[in-house]
Amino acid sequence: MAVKTLQDLLAEGVEGRGVLVRSDLNVPLDKGVITDAGRIVASAPTIKALAEAGAKVVVTAHLGRPKGEPDPALSLAPVAAKLSEELGRNVQLAGDVVGQDALARSEGLTDGDVLLLENIRFDPRETSKDDDQRRKLARALVELVGEDGAFVSDGFGVVHREQASVYDVAQLLPHYAGTLVAAEVDVLRKLTSATERPYAVVLGGSKVSDKLAVIEALAPKVDTLVIGGGMCFTFLAAQGLSVGSSLLQEEMVDTCKDLLDRYADVIHLPVDIVVADRFAADAESKTVAAQEIPDGWMGLDIGPESAKRFAALLTQARTVFWNGPMGVFEFAAFAPGTRAVAEALGTATTKGAFTVVGGGDSAAAVRTLGLPEDGFSHISTGGGASLEYLEGKQLPGIAVLEQEA
């Protein structure tokens, strides 16, 4: 069965109907202030289209990891304010998830109104391993939009989770892929099927263990696999090099050694490193060769020669997927490596390459560094979901959309 989309739902008609939308509004906060609104901006088009078509829109989303109970620090209040701004219309925020306030507000909605439920993860049933518990929450969500309602899955960042608001509710209502989810899946299919070569993948971030499955899945399929970020130090250690006090997963050294043996012609590691005497924005720093990291110093970025070499590889590629920063880009002194990779993708894009920024910290880096978002073919909103798809895993939130409700 083909997945129905938002356009199918709009063609069927939504005026006067309740529509439950699962969005990904999990944005970073600093003392209650949103530091990167990318996911809110990306989620707005689907919600806006439904509201303008006269639907009574009920949006559900999570923020952080509140452990199944209300946490004022993780309230969606700042998200509701930003979403109102993006939509150009007032977004009500319910005082609970599916309680009395949510029910009362949903019953009072008129055509074109938008209601945001409080953080869905304040309810422990959302992430429960008990099918019955998740189904009870899903039924309560359905009650908010009525039996003639519909469900639109638009939170790509959570489709790899079998959770009540992602998976179970889709089994109870006619369901559709929102604009964002449909676009993300289309992009990932391009990366796994008709891929134009040379095909380059850039992986960064802190832990090898987080990216091991995607390395195993992609290394046999790509022409170039660039590795930077904190995870590169475990690979350098696998080459017998000292990495000082840099991030190191000792239990993964043998695994990295095996990967380097098998894919020596594909894997590219940094040849120089920007090291610091401590983890701080104002730390003393210097650039050293990868084999000369001093004891007591930690690598916080790839060096300029590595950036130059990586950029040369990426600008010649016809397809590029990037997930994970090259260094601690939040600190200006250690941002150049990540900037160089991002700019190389931008150059490849202008030369006609298909370039994908794989969500998470990579997407945040693009915005933090002030780079134009339209300089890439696609910026994903779901890092974990993107990686699991590329690993070949089935994503529950996508698979359920292919079933009849």
Side-chain angles (χ1 to χ4, degrees):
M1 174 189 170
V3 173
K4 288 188 175 182
T5 66
L6 175 67
Q7 299 311 312
D8 295 319
L9 175 58
L10 293 173
E12 292 168 18
V14 294
E15 188 171 0
R17 289 178 69 187
V19 178
L20 180 70
V21 180
R22 191 4 165 143
S23 297
D24 181 7
L25 305 176
N26 186 28
V27 292
L29 294 177
D30 182 9
K31 298 176 182 175
V33 177
I34 297 170
T35 57
D36 178 11
R39 285 177 170 166
I40 297 174
V41 174
S43 299
T46 289
I47 299 168
K48 189 171 187 177
L50 288 165
E52 290 181 347
K56 300 172 183 176
V57 187
V58 178
V59 182
T60 182
H62 77 279
L63 183 62
R65 297 177 178 177
K67 300 179 181 177
E69 57 186 36
D71 179 350
L74 294 174
S75 169
L76 286 174
V79 172
K82 180 61 180 174
L83 185 58
S84 297
E85 188 181 310
E86 284 299 315
L87 296 176
R89 66 180 67 217
N90 179 56
V91 175
Q92 298 181 53
L93 176 66
D96 48 32
V97 179
V98 289
Q100 289 185 337
D101 191 56
L103 194 56
R105 286 177 183 270
S106 65
E107 288 174 348
L109 293 176
T110 58
D111 296 1
D113 283 352
V114 180
L115 169 65
L116 176 61
L117 304 179
E118 188 50 282
N119 193 333
I120 187 74
R121 289 189 184 170
F122 284 179
D123 192 313
R125 296 173 295 180
E126 165 71 355
T127 58
S128 175
K129 301 299 182 188
D130 185 322
D131 293 351
D132 289 338
Q133 288 299 312
R134 291 199 319 274
R135 185 59 67 97
K136 284 177 182 176
L137 176 56
R139 290 196 189 100
L141 289 167
V142 170
E143 190 178 350
L144 300 179
V145 294
E147 292 184 0
D148 69 336
F151 171 63
V152 175
S153 177
D154 205 42
F156 181 72
V158 289
V159 293
H160 58 315
R161 307 295 188 195
E162 194 171 305
Q163 297 177 346
S165 68
V166 178
Y167 179 81
D168 298 87
V169 76
Q171 297 179 313
L172 302 175
L173 286 172
H175 43 256
Y176 307 80
T179 305
L180 188 56
V181 162
E184 294 271 16
V185 172
D186 184 56
V187 164
L188 290 170
R189 283 179 178 153
K190 286 183 183 177
L191 288 175
T192 52
S193 54
T195 310
E196 197 175 348
R197 293 184 175 276
Y199 181 11
V201 169
V202 187
L203 296 177
S206 58
K207 294 182 178 179
V208 177
S209 53
D210 291 344
K211 305 283 170 71
L212 178 62
V214 80
I215 293 172
E216 290 278 16
L218 293 179
K221 302 174 183 176
V222 304
D223 301 290
T224 299
L225 177 57
V226 167
I227 294 177
M231 62 189 285
C232 80
F233 299 106
T234 303
F235 279 91
L236 293 175
Q239 292 182 321
L241 304 182
S242 171
V243 296
S245 58
S246 305
L247 192 62
L248 173 65
Q249 284 188 282
E250 290 187 16
E251 74 281 6
M252 298 297 295
V253 169
D254 288 342
T255 300
C256 290
K257 197 176 294 183
D258 174 58
L259 288 167
L260 289 168
D261 288 341
R262 284 189 284 148
Y263 304 110
D265 58 333
V266 173
I267 294 175
H268 297 264
L269 297 173
V271 294
D272 58 346
I273 301 290
V274 179
V275 296
D277 61 350
R278 57 198 170 90
F279 188 86
D282 60 350
E284 182 183 342
S285 63
K286 59 185 177 181
T287 300
V288 298
Q291 66 271 26
E292 295 175 0
I293 298 175
D295 288 345
W297 288 66
M298 62 181 70
L300 295 185
D301 194 15
I302 61 172
E305 182 60 29
S306 302
K308 184 178 172 183
R309 293 187 184 197
F310 291 173
L313 290 166
L314 301 178
T315 52
Q316 297 307 310
R318 296 296 299 166
T319 304
V320 187
F321 174 75
W322 169 36
N323 181 282
M326 295 294 98
V328 186
F329 70 90
E330 297 90 345
F331 297 160
F334 310 108
T338 300
R339 179 181 289 279
V341 163
E343 290 178 344
L345 260 72
T347 300
T349 309
T350 61
K351 293 167 69 174
F354 181 62
T355 59
V356 179
V357 179
D361 287 340
S362 307
V366 167
R367 290 184 279 268
T368 299
L369 298 174
L371 300 171
E373 294 187 43
D374 59 3
F376 309 90
S377 303
H378 180 74
I379 297 181
S380 178
T381 55
S386 295
L387 291 176
E388 289 198 16
Y389 190 100
L390 293 175
E391 288 166 22
K393 291 183 180 178
Q394 185 180 67
L395 307 183
I398 299 299
V400 75
L401 297 179
E402 298 169 349
Q403 304 170 7
E404 293 282 359

